[in-house]
């Protein structure tokens, strides 16, 4: 039985999925490993010596491993937070040799952020309800240093039902090619109903702007999964005040 497709108690539980997460996740989310690598390639633009990065929903630490490996000689602090104790334990084990990494267990919605240069939320915020998500986006923005960034990846909904059907069909094909049976795909969809709450691209971009991000760039979409690079405005260059 592939965990994440049949769940004891018939409810979605990442802690139960943890031992199978690495294998399961790449078979479920198109180009998951490619977006982790893309994030790791962009991260050095924000992470100098002394910087701090938070990853919200760090799971087994695969994204963290890429980001840390991309800058082996830069001393920054990487804090990975996950609500699942078994995910956090796995992340801690994966990266136990890297003193820059700390795995924390707990809910991201009550996290007390210290000032940070970069916040990563790679397929995590869509598990939060709308009010909680808006409030967290504001707190992320306010915790970023000027010029710092949030990299947000989310499952997104197309507002046009026919286009959304085509994208869903493409995603089902992706999972079938990755080895899932149709009944497994249907069961997972049922387990995630009301748990994973995707917004449209417009809703995501509006929420980011409402949180204070003035500079939002979209990253490539793959069958209903897409990313945003949202920067906090740098401090305005004031120059010499003009005196009459
Ligand atoms: C799809 S996985 C994240 C993938 C990961 N960033 C990666 O690149 O592999 C979502 C993770 O978010 C965690 N999560 C979901 N809701 C959370 C919350 N409210 N607080 C903390 N972690 C949460 C889950 O336990 C799970 O490990």
């Amino acid at each position: 039985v592939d965990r994440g497709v049949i769940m004891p108690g018939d409810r979605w539980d990442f802690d139960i999925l943890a031992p199978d997460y690495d294998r399961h996740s790449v078979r479920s989310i198109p180009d998951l490993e490619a977006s982790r690598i893309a994030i790791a390639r962009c991260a050095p633009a924000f992470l100098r010596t002394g910087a701090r990065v938070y990853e919200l929903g760090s799971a087994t630490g695969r994204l963290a491993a890429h980001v840390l490996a991309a800058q082996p000689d830069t001393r920054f602090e990487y804090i990975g937070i996950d609500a699942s104790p078994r995910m956090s334990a796995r992340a801690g084990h994966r990266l136990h040799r890297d003193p820059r990494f700390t795995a924390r267990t707990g809910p991201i919605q009550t996290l007390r952020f210290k000032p940070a240069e970069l916040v990563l939320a790679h397929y995590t915020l869509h598990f939060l309800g709308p009010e909680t998500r808006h409030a967290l986006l504001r707190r992320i923005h306010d915790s970023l240093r000027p010029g710092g960034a949030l990299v947000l990846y989310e499952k997104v909904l197309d507002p046009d039902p026919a286009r959304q059907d085509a994208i869903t069909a493409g995603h089902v094909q992706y999972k079938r090619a990755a080895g899932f049976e149709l009944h497994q795909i249907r069961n997972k969809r049922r387990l995630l109903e009301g748990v994973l709450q995707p917004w449209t691209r417009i809703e995501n971009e509006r929420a980011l702007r409402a949180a204070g991000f003035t500079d939002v760039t979209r990253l490539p979409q793959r069958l209903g999964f897409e990313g945003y690079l949202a920067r906090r405005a740098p401090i305005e260059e004031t120059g010499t005040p003009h005196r009459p």
Side-chain angles (χ1 to χ4, degrees), residues 28 143 166-167 188:
S28 301
S143 74
I167 291 167
K188 182 172 176 186

Side-chain angles (χ1 to χ4, degrees), residues 86-179:
R86 288 208 268 180
M87 291 284 198
S88 282
R90 282 173 181 266
H93 181 70
R94 186 192 300 281
L95 291 158
H96 72 281
R97 284 205 187 84
D98 196 326
R100 298 173 296 174
F101 181 75
T102 310
R104 283 202 214 156
T105 307
I108 52 176
Q109 50 272 42
T110 51
L111 178 71
R112 286 167 175 269
F113 288 93
K114 289 185 183 165
E117 279 67 21
L118 185 62
V119 176
L120 307 175
H122 192 223
Y123 301 125
T124 303
L125 297 203
H126 54 207
F127 291 109
L128 301 177
E131 285 315 310
T132 314
R133 209 180 308 179
H134 281 296
L136 181 59
L137 284 171
R138 275 193 294 276
R139 292 203 303 117
I140 293 169
H141 173 270
D142 295 349
S143 74
L144 283 167
R145 295 193 196 276
L150 164 66
V151 179
L152 173 68
Y153 275 77
E154 295 276 273
K155 185 171 169 75
V156 290
L157 270 187
D158 197 297
D160 178 81
R163 276 201 309 257
Q164 180 57 49
D165 284 350
I167 291 167
T168 302
H171 189 207
V172 168
Q173 286 309 313
Y174 174 86
K175 289 182 171 185
R176 292 282 292 120

Side-chain angles (χ1 to χ4, degrees), residues 12-15 21-22 25 29 32 35-36 39 55-64 81-84 87 105-109 120-128 132:
W12 183 256
D13 187 339
F14 272 111
D15 206 50
Y21 174 76
D22 288 348
S25 58
I29 304 179
L32 182 66
S35 57
R36 291 180 183 136
I39 293 170
E55 184 187 347
L56 311 180
S58 39
T60 62
R62 288 195 71 106
L63 172 58
I81 302 109
D82 204 289
S84 152
M87 291 284 198
T105 307
I108 52 176
Q109 50 272 42
L120 307 175
H122 192 223
Y123 301 125
T124 303
L125 297 203
H126 54 207
F127 291 109
L128 301 177
T132 314

